[in-house]
Amino acid sequence: MMLENQQDGWADLHVHTTWSDGLFSPQYLVQKAAEIGIRAIAVTDHDAVRGIKEAAQAGKTCGVEVLSGIELSTTNGIHDVHILGFLFDPEDPYILEYVDFFQKERQKRARKIMNRLRKMGVRLNVEFVIANAGHGAVGRPHIADALMEEGYALTYDEAFYKYIGDGKPAFVEKPKITPSEGMRLIHKGGGLSFLAHPGMDLTEAEIMAIIKQGLDGIEILHPTHSEEKVNYFYKFARDNNLLVSGGSDCHGDRKGKMMMGKFNVPYRFVTEMKKAVKA
Ligand code: AMP
Ligand code: FE
Ligand code: FE
Ligand code: ZN
């Protein structure tokens, strides 16, 4: 991919905050972005939008542009499909209704997971885990943290492998919409819908089906994409008339890495998105 002659600066269009399963507050993330010299970030919490406003306010004081974003959990019946939304109205009533519904569903599901764990002899303080997720959408990473703290797992990966990973004994599905419903929601809010990390587990046929349902772009730069994959998806986007995005998928340093800004996402991706949203 041509990244030379990059004069517009850099962006990071995939970061999580404490409003979902990230460890950093929106304010802290923006401050870090400013320190690293990132021009723009998109806050893309899982099924949550309340962090955007906080980040945007912080962004004004330290000169970082904050774009609205979201990472919707959807399924095509075979695989999980993460749909990224960008540049929608974060106050859009349809989007707010959806994220509020989903947040309640996530709390119900966290209780179910911890119920299953209890039957396996694993006792977690349910109210504490939910409260510990704070204002954000409670997810398996929060339960993994508790499993480690209470000594039921030595590592984060072990918590998933032994208990809460997909298909493991304490795993409970969360309700999911289809990719097409997710994209429609983002479009209703005036935004653009992108396929997150397409190289993770989708086949080309699955990707083509999602494109036909109204996809605007794909995420080409992502920590799970090798250089070959980045080049492949860059060309794939061009051939299919799609926009491109990229980001670090930073979750704070939950996995021992502070990833923000590590993936050299050109700001011109943002410029292209803005043009498309106007059109
Ligand atoms: P949830 O949305 O509550 O189902 O949690 C999904 C999140 O859990 C993902 O975004 C990952 O960060 C993490 N996760 C899921 N499966 C695993 C796994 N096998 N190992 C480590 N982390 C995982
Ligand atoms: Fe996550
Ligand atoms: Fe994702
Ligand atoms: Zn993500």
Side-chain angles (χ1 to χ4, degrees), residues 22 26 40-41 48 78 80 103 106 112 133 146 162 179 198 211 218 229 267 274 276:
I41 65 168
I78 304 162
D80 282 346
Q103 177 139 347
R106 271 184 171 279
K112 281 186 200 160
K162 264 170 85 175
I211 292 173
I218 54 172
K229 271 199 180 153
Y267 183 83
K274 285 181 181 169

Side-chain angles (χ1 to χ4, degrees), residues 165-234:
D166 291 19
K168 299 297 175 185
F171 174 68
V172 177
E173 284 278 5
K174 59 191 172 203
K176 275 183 206 138
I177 55 177
T178 64
S180 148
E181 287 167 329
M183 291 188 279
R184 210 176 314 140
L185 184 68
I186 291 160
H187 290 151
K188 258 188 180 167
L192 300 170
S193 56
F194 281 58
L195 184 57
H197 40 70
M200 232 153 91
D201 51 17
L202 298 180
T203 64
E204 195 169 310
E206 288 177 296
I207 297 173
M208 292 311 290
I210 298 165
I211 292 173
K212 286 208 192 88
Q213 292 165 350
L215 192 71
D216 301 298
I218 54 172
E219 182 176 55
I220 61 170
L221 292 164
H222 186 269
T224 61
H225 286 176
S226 64
E227 203 180 318
E228 291 83 67
K229 271 199 180 153
V230 173
N231 289 325
Y232 169 81
F233 282 117
Y234 185 61

